[in-house]
Amino acid sequence: MLACLDANREHAGEKYEQIRSGLVKFFEWRGCPFSEDHADETINRVARKLDAGEEFRDLYTYVYGVARMLILEIQKESAKQRAAFDHLPSHEPVAEETDDLEPRAECLKQCLAGLPPESRELLTKYYQGERQTKIENRRKLAEALDVSLNILRIRAFRLREKLAACVDDCLKQ
Amino acid sequence: MKNKTDDEELMSKYLLGDLSEDDRLQVEERFLRDPAYLEQLQALEAELNDDYVRGELTAREREQFAQRSSASPEWRRRVGFAKALITGDESATATTAPAKVSPAPPPRWRSLLPQLRLPKPALTWALAAAFLVMSAAGSWLVLETSRLRAQLEQMQAERKAGEQQAQALRQQAAEQRARNDQLAAQLQREQDQQRQWLAEAGRPQPHLLSFILAPGLGRGADESTKLLVPPEVQTVRLRLYLEGAGEYQSYRAELHTSADKLIWSRDRLRAQPIRTGKAVVLSLPASLLTTGEYEVRLKGAVSREQIEEIGDYFFSVSKK
């Protein structure tokens, strides 16, 4: 499959990662609980077709098609399971994440401290205020940094992802 | 959800599951190809998580968000992270709060604040704000959970009703198939008998042929509706099986060609018992029938003025 993505092995690896990340988000945003597993299953199915000698005009379109077929299978299967477990009480959404707020706050404290000061400042300013004030703050911050709001959002998001990964590692310890 | 470009609006709607199928496919195909677009979506999702935690979504958006995010453990984890971040952030943003507030026992995460260089009065206001936010969030969660549970119960009840209806329809279809099979078998026996007669050499050819027909079988749908009529036959007897039809004072039968031309009709017909139920029996002059397709329309008379359609019986004739 890598060879099909790019002649350069390194670039092919990057594209593979990109497809996989996209698939993980696809399954997650479509409401599938095991998005990573489904992404891998999609890639396996495509790889099997390639091994069997099938040729695709556009690999991305094909991958997307396989992913959509898999979603249909998952939905059918989960409908069957729901019917089988009708008598069981339903789970409560979102609430389960509130239990570990305190250790998470501790980890957040440590991870924030580990960020470079300018990153910490950007994050702090980005998340300052509520509603219209927040929007106005972000506009001013983007002006001060001479970037568009979209670029600012992406920068804040990358820092946030770094912070989230750090918090996850910290919680595991 | 304000101050967004059209593209951001589209992406937010995608994340909330509020797009048409076409738009959804467009967004998905694009983010699978374009990593920058995917990152933009993820950044917007992070903001959506924040807005949800801060209670800045509209009621509809909140409902859509809860429905979407609750399905994915990963997404729930990110909402949890947003909660931790926003709680810390609210503390950090309280720097302009008034100074005089009675001191409260410091929670463990209070040590976070010196690192963000916060003055003490801000901390107490931050604590109060955090407490209020958490209380409000707690109450909202209880209400949201009970609302979702009620919604789920209603959906389950609707699904059960649908399944029962489907089951009843399946049973009805099975009964219908069984009746058709029975009729087809009976007709087959009669045709076999007819072929046997015709095959027997030296025996006089029959002048009367008898067939049984079931309503509703489409033109040419079934081998069993093909009638083989030798030229010596003078009369063709058709038995029109009355399937589930009510009782009528009398019946009217009309014979039409495939070009919808009426070529024969008869009134005041009566139902007669047969082995599998009741039938109206027609005796047609064989000379009327040439090779081709035919339709018999059967009507029932409730009274002299009121006539009801009962069913259509299709058959084809082959003259040899």
Side-chain angles (χ1 to χ4, degrees), chain A residues 88-106:
Chain A
L88 294 179
S90 60
H91 73 280
E92 295 180 9
V94 183
E96 65 189 61
E97 294 301 328
T98 56
D99 295 340
D100 61 349
L101 264 184
E102 204 168 327
R104 194 171 282 197
E106 282 292 326

Side-chain angles (χ1 to χ4, degrees), chain B residues 213-258:
Chain B
L213 293 174
L217 293 175
R219 228 184 276 275
D222 196 328
E223 251 335 275
S224 63
T225 60
K226 286 183 183 164
L227 315 184
L228 182 70
V229 183
E232 301 78 11
V233 170
Q234 290 169 357
T235 304
V236 172
R237 181 171 290 164
L238 295 178
R239 286 188 281 171
L240 308 179
Y241 178 60
L242 293 171
E243 189 179 44
E247 289 290 325
Y248 292 91
Q249 283 183 1
S250 65
Y251 297 83
R252 172 181 168 82
E254 296 172 353
L255 179 66
H256 292 256
T257 63
S258 58

Side-chain angles (χ1 to χ4, degrees), chain A residues 18 28-30 58 61 64 86 93 96 104 109 113 126-127 129 134-135 153 158 160 168, chain B residues 3 8 28 33 39 45 47 50-51 54-56 68 70 76-78 80-81 89 111 115 159:
Chain A
Q18 175 210 323
E28 197 183 303
W29 285 329
R30 285 280 192 118
D58 178 15
T61 306
Y64 182 45
D86 258 358
E96 65 189 61
R104 194 171 282 197
K109 181 186 88 175
Y126 190 80
Y127 289 106
K134 178 184 72 186
I135 292 166
R153 182 189 293 127
R158 287 179 184 165
R160 182 189 177 121
D168 279 350
Chain B
N3 293 7
E8 287 168 355
E28 287 173 345
R33 284 173 192 278
E39 192 174 36
E45 188 223 84
E47 290 195 356
D50 296 343
D51 289 347
R54 286 178 200 264
E56 290 182 11
R68 303 276 285 179
S70 65
R76 289 206 303 272
R77 189 188 62 75
R78 287 197 298 278
F81 178 73
D89 173 57
S111 55
Q115 289 188 9
R159 196 176 63 237

Side-chain angles (χ1 to χ4, degrees), chain B residues 169-189:
Chain B
L169 283 170
R170 276 197 294 275
Q171 199 174 343
Q172 210 175 331
E175 286 168 6
Q176 171 84 29
R177 270 197 302 276
R179 269 199 304 276
N180 285 347
D181 290 347
Q182 207 175 357
L183 282 167
Q186 190 177 342
L187 185 61
Q188 186 62 47
R189 278 195 299 276

